[in-house]
Amino acid sequence: DAGITQSPRYKITETGRQVTLMCHQTWSHSYMFWYRQDLGHGLRLIYYSAAADITDKGEVPDGYVVSRSKTENFPLTLESATRSQTSVYFCASTAGSNQPQHFGDGTRLSIL
Amino acid sequence: AQSVAQPEDQVNVAEGNPLTVKCTYSVSGNPYLFWYVQYPNRGLQFLLKYITGDNLVKGSYGFEAEFNKSQTSFHLKKPSALVSDSALYFCAVLPKNNDMRFGAGTRLTVKP
């Protein structure tokens, strides 16, 4: 089925470790996004990408790295995880900037 | 600064009664406006959007939203609430770049 999938759904790791969250979409959407969801903050944009090999910072990019070598994939890497990065992470995609975004079901990341 | 406010953390209504979930925004220019709904352990799902034109926008599942430029508001409404409407609702604004800003969310509970 077409859609947007995130993996893993749940992840526990330790501070200082590197962890990569995966996002894959089958619509060939140009735009892809990473958000984190925290109580009281709603969703905050970490990074987005308008096309392959083009990425831009969002509201809260510090501590995160992204890449977009292929249109369908947009991995998010925490190079040295910190407890403050414990959160639920959502990936989204859209065909155009004024079109609705389609969200994955999220990755719940706990950093001990 | 660009921001979105959902002044109510929680809205409780009885089934069959009308519901309103409030949203105000502070964004320069004429942003695009969206409402999304989130069910437990799922990503956000698009409900409706305002780009331009008629101030009353109709969306999925019988929801509608009223855009008021002078009050910079975009309140979500439904004439007759269902128990199945119980969920977390997010208002979002998209300025002319791709930095979507979400409100903190409003938890809607519809009681039978």
Side-chain angles (χ1 to χ4, degrees):
Chain A
D1 290 339
I4 182 165
T5 54
Q6 294 183 236
S7 60
R9 289 296 313 277
Y10 302 92
K11 177 75 177 178
I12 300 174
T13 191
E14 297 176 338
T15 56
R17 297 280 184 110
Q18 181 180 85
V19 59
T20 296
L21 309 184
M22 305 301 292
C23 179
H24 175 80
Q25 53 105 355
T26 59
W27 291 298
S28 298
H29 284 165
S30 295
Y31 294 88
M32 295 188 75
F33 307 82
W34 274 108
Y35 296 91
R36 58 179 291 174
Q37 183 178 21
D38 304 288
L39 276 175
H41 289 281
L43 275 73
R44 291 180 291 175
L45 182 65
I46 304 171
Y47 270 95
Y48 66 96
S49 169
D53 297 321
I54 300 174
T55 61
D56 280 295
K57 295 178 180 180
E59 185 182 358
V60 289
D62 293 344
Y64 303 95
V65 175
V66 293
S67 61
R68 186 120 180 254
S69 58
K70 293 184 178 181
T71 299
E72 60 267 30
N73 296 323
F74 191 39
L76 176 74
T77 297
L78 289 67
E79 292 192 307
S80 179
T82 65
R83 289 197 180 90
S84 65
Q85 293 177 308
T86 292
S87 187
V88 182
Y89 290 85
F90 287 97
C91 180
S93 72
T94 185
S97 60
N98 66 348
Q99 298 301 312
Q101 294 183 14
H102 300 267
F103 285 79
D105 284 334
T107 295
R108 186 174 295 274
L109 177 63
S110 296
I111 300 166
L112 306 178
Chain B
Q2 300 170 126
S3 65
V4 182
Q6 293 181 239
E8 300 158 317
D9 292 335
Q10 175 94 28
V11 170
N12 299 313
V13 299
E15 188 174 30
N17 283 1
L19 68 88
T20 298
V21 183
K22 296 179 181 177
C23 172
T24 59
Y25 63 92
S26 174
V27 174
S28 59
N30 297 311
Y32 303 144
L33 300 163
F34 299 82
W35 275 101
Y36 288 85
V37 60
Q38 185 180 31
Y39 297 100
N41 298 314
R42 300 298 302 276
L44 277 66
Q45 297 177 29
F46 168 76
L47 278 179
L48 52 79
K49 68 177 180 180
Y50 175 84
I51 304 296
T52 186
D54 194 349
N55 289 344
L56 186 64
V57 178
K58 294 190 182 298
S60 306
Y61 313 120
F63 284 93
E64 57 190 26
E66 186 170 13
F67 171 66
N68 187 317
K69 187 171 183 177
S70 63
Q71 296 184 2
T72 60
S73 66
F74 189 54
H75 301 331
L76 181 70
K77 300 182 179 185
K78 187 172 182 181
S80 179
L82 300 172
V83 173
S84 57
D85 292 331
S86 298
L88 191 56
Y89 290 81
F90 289 96
C91 180
V93 295
L94 182 65
K96 295 308 180 184
N97 60 18
N98 286 298
D99 191 358
M100 181 91 86
R101 296 297 174 107
F102 287 82
T106 298
R107 185 164 300 283
L108 172 68
T109 301
V110 181
K111 297 184 179 179

